[in-house]
Amino acid sequence: MNRGDIVDKPCLTCQYNMTILNKIKNEMPDEETINKLSEVFKIFGDSTRIRILWALFDKEMCVYDIAEALSMTQSAISHQLRSLKQARLIKSRRDGKNTFYSLDDDHVKRIIEQVLIHIEE
Amino acid sequence: MNRGDIVDKPCLTCQYNMTILNKIKNEMPDEETINKLSEVFKIFGDSTRIRILWALFDKEMCVYDIAEALSMTQSAISHQLRSLKQARLIKSRRDGKNTFYSLDDDHVKRIIEQVLIHIEE
DNA sequence: TGAGTATATGAACATATGAACAGGGGTGAT
DNA sequence: ATCACCCCTGTTCATATGTTCATATACTCA
């Protein structure tokens, strides 16, 4: 890369050149990973789901009780639990009539806490 | 709480009672905090914005170059930058004709990395 | 001041999302 | 076997969100 190589500099006044831009392109995670990332964040991006996850911070709960704790219908909760489970943020365990849900792992709690710290600054 | 106190147990087969459910309700962050949390996650929940943030992991960049690095139009990038800035995930600095964007703080990088770890398991 | 460059904004459109309702399946108790 | 209960699925509808195109604003330099 030579100095003054204008052709390779898309932005005439910025300090970066095509080589650096290509480096960014190449080091970026592949499309699938990026999509997975954004999908997970999307699932977090709903106040009902955040509240459900929060309710599960300490212990597993059944659908009915989550609905009760959040003052919402069982149907609405069930839908959200499905999303959360598909995104593998929670796991479920059947016990007779009831299905108990709990956080999939500690990351989930940590991620929410990180963002909480961020917004509190 | 006495044994067999059915009235206080919304879900007849679960182990929780009204007292515990109310505890969850009361210890839950207030509505405003929950909303802020979900709003921030929503902003993360888009593949273009993730890619923009990723591009900014190491250094600030101007709009034009981000657009170039991501092979997208300047307009699309500008819109997303606005969202990201409103959510305070990035900050901007004007220098002559150019506006340079960079991550607002280290949390942003850490949050994305946490989720990346989660999905890679 | 006027031309050229960099970024921001607005409107229109397509798509995604959440809530509520209706109905069904599975489980346990009688 | 039937019933009550818990949960899930599919649908509809209203709303929110992302993208694109056209245009506006801001800045620099000649």
Side-chain angles (χ1 to χ4, degrees):
Chain A
M1 187 67 186
N2 297 319
R3 260 182 163 282
D5 194 349
I6 302 288
V7 179
D8 278 0
K9 284 183 101 304
C11 177
L12 299 178
T13 59
C14 295
Q15 72 259 48
Y16 306 125
N17 54 41
M18 230 27 181
T19 309
I20 295 183
L21 294 185
N22 282 327
K23 188 165 171 287
I24 292 176
K25 261 191 192 174
N26 295 334
E27 291 181 357
M28 179 100 37
D30 58 275
E31 195 184 325
E32 196 193 335
T33 303
I34 293 283
N35 286 340
K36 277 188 190 169
L37 269 172
S38 60
E39 289 308 313
V40 170
F41 277 118
K42 262 182 209 159
I43 298 301
F44 276 108
D46 177 86
S47 57
T48 299
R49 288 193 288 264
I50 294 279
R51 293 200 301 148
I52 292 176
L53 292 173
W54 198 281
L56 298 177
F57 263 23
D58 293 330
K59 51 188 173 309
E60 64 175 13
M61 290 182 74
C62 73
V63 180
Y64 192 105
D65 281 348
I66 298 173
E68 197 70 22
L70 270 54
S71 306
M72 292 184 65
T73 66
Q74 171 272 318
S75 173
I77 298 297
S78 185
H79 274 291
Q80 304 295 16
L81 287 172
R82 190 189 182 194
S83 307
L84 289 165
K85 195 178 176 190
Q86 280 180 337
R88 302 208 301 127
L89 300 185
I90 60 173
K91 58 188 181 218
S92 64
R93 165 181 87 78
R94 179 133 204 165
D95 180 14
K97 280 191 287 191
N98 296 101
T99 305
F100 289 92
Y101 287 90
S102 54
L103 299 186
D104 185 76
D105 63 30
D106 280 351
H107 286 129
V108 177
K109 192 170 179 180
R110 240 176 286 154
I111 291 165
I112 292 180
E113 284 169 347
Q114 275 283 329
V115 176
L116 195 56
I117 293 170
H118 177 78
I119 65 175
E120 278 173 351
E121 279 182 0
Chain B
M1 186 66 187
N2 298 318
R3 259 185 164 278
D5 194 349
I6 301 290
V7 180
D8 277 1
K9 285 182 102 303
C11 178
L12 300 178
T13 58
C14 296
Q15 72 259 48
Y16 306 125
N17 55 41
M18 232 26 183
T19 309
I20 296 184
L21 294 185
N22 283 326
K23 187 165 172 288
I24 291 176
K25 264 190 190 172
N26 297 332
E27 291 180 357
M28 179 100 37
D30 58 275
E31 195 185 325
E32 197 193 335
T33 304
I34 294 282
N35 286 340
K36 277 188 191 168
L37 269 172
S38 60
E39 289 309 314
V40 169
F41 277 117
K42 262 181 207 159
I43 299 301
F44 276 108
D46 177 86
S47 58
T48 299
R49 288 193 288 265
I50 294 279
R51 294 200 301 149
I52 291 177
L53 292 173
W54 198 281
L56 298 177
F57 264 21
D58 293 330
K59 50 188 174 308
E60 64 176 12
M61 289 183 76
C62 73
V63 181
Y64 194 105
D65 281 348
I66 298 173
E68 197 68 23
L70 269 56
S71 306
M72 292 184 66
T73 67
Q74 170 272 319
S75 173
I77 298 297
S78 185
H79 277 291
Q80 304 295 16
L81 287 172
R82 190 189 183 192
S83 309
L84 288 166
K85 195 179 177 188
Q86 280 180 338
R88 302 209 300 127
L89 300 185
I90 59 173
K91 57 189 183 218
S92 65
R93 166 181 87 78
R94 180 130 204 166
D95 180 14
K97 281 189 286 191
N98 296 99
T99 305
F100 289 91
Y101 286 90
S102 55
L103 298 187
D104 184 77
D105 63 28
D106 280 351
H107 286 129
V108 178
K109 192 171 177 179
R110 239 175 288 152
I111 291 165
I112 293 180
E113 284 169 347
Q114 275 282 330
V115 176
L116 195 55
I117 293 170
H118 177 78
I119 65 175
E120 279 173 349
E121 279 180 357

